[in-house]
Amino acid sequence: MLAASPPLQKFVSQSLAKGMPKADLQETLLKAGWPKELVSAYLQKGLAEHPSPHGKALLRIQSVSKALNGRKVLDAVSLDINEGEIFGIIGASGSGKTTLLNMIVGLLAPDAGDVQLLAGTMRSVAKDPGLRAVMGYSTQAPSFYPELTVEENIRHFSLLYGKTERQADLQTASLAKLVGLHDNRTLLAKELSGGMQKRLDLACALVNDPKVLILDEPVADLDVLLRKQLWETLGAIRRKGTTIVIASHFLTELEQVCDRIGILRNGRIAEVGTPDELRVIYSRNHEIKVELASHGYDELAAFLAKQQDVPIAKTWKEAGALRLQTAQPTAAAEMILQFCRQRKDMITALEMGRPTVRELFEELLR
Amino acid sequence: MNPVLILAKNNLRMLFRSRTTAIAIITIPLLLLFFAGLLFDTTSVYRVRVGAWSPAYTDVSNAVLSTLQESQFKVEQYEREEDCVDAVRLGDQHACLVFPAGFALGGENNKLTFYLDPSRATLVNVVLGTIEPRIESYTQDVSKNLTRAIMDALSTVRNSVSVRKGTVVTLTTTVNNAGFGISQVLGTLGAPEAALDINQLGIQDVLGRGAGLSEVAERLANDSLIIADALKSQLQALDGYVNSSGMTSSEKSVAKAGIANATSAADDLRTAANLSKNDVAANNLTGTVQVLLDRLDAAKQTLGALVDARNASLVNLQGVKGKLDSSLVSIAEIQKGLDEMHQAITGLAVVDPEAVVTPIRTVITPVSAESSYLNYAFPFLMMLVLLFSGLLLPCILMLSERNSPARTRALLVPLSDVSRMAGVLVSCVAVLAVQALLMLVVAAFFFPIWLGLPVLVPALLAISMLFVLIGMLIGSLVTQEFNAILAGVLVGAALLLASGFIVPLDVLPRWLSVIAGVNPVVIGGEVVRIALLFNGVGFGWNVLDILVLLVWAVALACAVVWVSRNDRRLTLERAIQSVMALRKK
């Protein structure tokens, strides 16, 4: 089951419940700036269920609540994660991402609700610790023995999951190769770089050939190149049919690899959808990036702010450019051109598009 | 492979990966043994320096100093008492012995003063412990010699009594025999037949009959003349008959010779009869008889006196015999007394002078064959190593695991808590086994251990497991390695204090003594002691001991698993909280 966007869902459900015709509702939503394709989809599906790109739910989180130190960290979280998909979870610090992941793998028991895994039938992870055998978990801080070598770590956990010596040897070699540590397999784990440690941790999380791979901040502290390598590796793992759940701050990259993303806010799932869905759901604005030869961005911003008929939601300078968000991107672009003509300035770059998930996320948290 | 073994193998691998840890595990027991060996090395005793002072040395004080020197103490005599005492203060001497003037055994001048520096308590004990026995030994030697002299004197008396006793016996016999002889004499003299009645001798009758004796002699001589004449005539007739007989001349000559002999005899008879007749007539037989009678009368008088004397002697002999009897009783008493003395001396149970000096002597005799004192300390050392390794190793291992980055991953592995704990237990026991083996190998160079191994090995394993379980419990209860080590040391110290190794159990309060009775260190120490020192002889698992160990093991194992389960949840939640706190920062 895929939870719908709560505000839109609520509005659509209430309108339909009140007997509002779908055509009127569609017109209202379009006037409010909701994308046409999304409005059509919601109205067609009746908003009862979110379609899953792969269909079959592998992991079901049902009304899970958890309090730690008297503070409610998770509050009735419900979520379906489908077989074979990469599911991203984003949320601010303390929003309950790690707690949710710990409950998914069974390290924490929920105070209320249940986490179920499809193993023939849906079985409670909390009540059936054996289900952990089909889950891999890469924690935020790498979890392995620093005093052991790369291959000793992989081999040790492989043996603990019931592999024979021979199988463990083979798997150690293949995993070391998969995560790019084959040449460093005899190094002690503590001697590895941060990126290598992340990859070793990932290898250790894969020793049991998990059906579900849970990754908590897998690319934190990694440089761009290492992040790219890791995402590629995850892609390779996913191609083997492994379902992957990722909690990460790197929203820009997350939206590139995730099939769906769930936004966790104040212990609740605020929204679930594909990155595109989220973009259109959370932002009626478009984003314009403009670069001027004169770099007179303050003047441009002031100019735009004076334009009463073209509402500008937000302007900010970033990386030698001025960025702005507006619901009327075409009119805003015309205003920018007008400014340049008046000042005899030259536009060196002009980009127009939807805001990224990160921006949406920041918007959401605001 | 069994998950428990995988965990244990991994624990050991990580433990020994750190060279410092590996070296520590292996060398600590050996170092402990080495230091213990140094502690028990008696050669250090010989470096004790002793100062001495006396206003006037005596033979006894010189002998004491000689004894110390012979014991390889370095003895230095001082001119002044102050110098000697100052030498102790300055540390030049370990002790100063001050002998009083005229130091002697016994009496008032036998007080030997030790000057020691109490601020160096350990040294004081060492010095006292080394000097005192030697002085005591000397004193004992002297006492022994004195007592030996007494015993020698006693021995002489015993021999003398033994010899004299024979003389008394002889005397007794002699007196007895004399008494017996007198008794016989008295019996003989006093017998009725021995009594002499002179009247009964008939001397008067003999005197009366003496007068008729002359007549009889004359008549006999006359009759003899008649018979001789008749015989002679008959012989003559016979001769004529022979002449006329037809006998041969030889036969006649023989017959005539016979007749001639008979005629000669008849002539002799006639002659004798005539002589007798003449003698009776000529010699006055009556006078002779009278003389005889006179003599008899005199004899009678003499005999009468003799009888009186005999009677008087009988009375005297009776008195003598009474006195002899009385003496015999006295001699018997003396003999009895001598007997008793002899028996008393012979029956003396203690004849060894040393036993007289110290009637109840404490002799420390080694109860096992050994070549070093190390074996006495070995059970303690063994338990010390096992105890602290058993307590600290699992603590460190569990907390290393808990604080290890691998903690989360290890918990994700679908293993039971029992398996996880068993992994720690197996790895720690394996390490302890290695340590015990090392110690045993070293010990084997000093004293035989092989006979005790069948008892020792299972006992050590059982005790090691218990110690490890206690350590695991500590490791489960605390969260920081420092606290774990502190707790381990404290628990270890408490177990050691109540083990009898440091303070004898007998001097503990009763309630503490009862608690100490179930102390695994006590039980283990006893087993190791018996196994090592007595080669397992006399060893028998006490049912109560087995029960105590079982209760310990089960209780500890349950506690460890229970605490571990709860701790696991707590740890994770704490970890999550700490991550959250970190992020907020």
Side-chain angles (χ1 to χ4, degrees), chain B residues 147 152 230 247 260 336 438 448 486 552 557-558:
Chain B
T147 312
D152 288 345
M247 285 189 297
K336 187 182 169 191
L438 283 171
L486 195 65
W552 265 103
C558 291

Side-chain angles (χ1 to χ4, degrees), chain B residues 4 7-13 15-16 25 385-399 420-436 460-461 463-473:
Chain B
V4 174
L7 289 172
K9 190 177 166 187
N10 193 51
N11 286 337
L12 291 174
R13 182 192 289 138
L15 211 54
F16 286 97
I25 286 171
V385 169
L386 293 184
L387 175 65
F388 281 100
S389 293
L391 290 179
L392 297 179
L393 201 60
C395 285
I396 293 168
L397 211 55
M398 289 178 76
L399 287 169
R420 293 176 204 281
M421 294 302 111
V424 176
L425 181 68
V426 169
S427 47
C428 291
V429 169
V431 173
L432 262 62
V434 170
Q435 290 185 321
L460 284 180
L461 278 176
I463 299 301
S464 299
M465 279 177 67
L466 273 187
F467 291 156
V468 170
L469 281 170
I470 297 173
M472 287 171 69
L473 186 59

Side-chain angles (χ1 to χ4, degrees), chain A residues 132 140 143 147 152 165 201, chain B residues 1 17 405 409 411 583:
Chain A
R132 277 185 243 155
Q140 192 169 359
S143 186
E147 298 82 10
E152 282 172 345
E165 298 269 344
D201 191 52
Chain B
M1 193 188 290
R17 177 132 300 170
R409 186 160 311 292
L411 288 176
R583 283 186 177 175

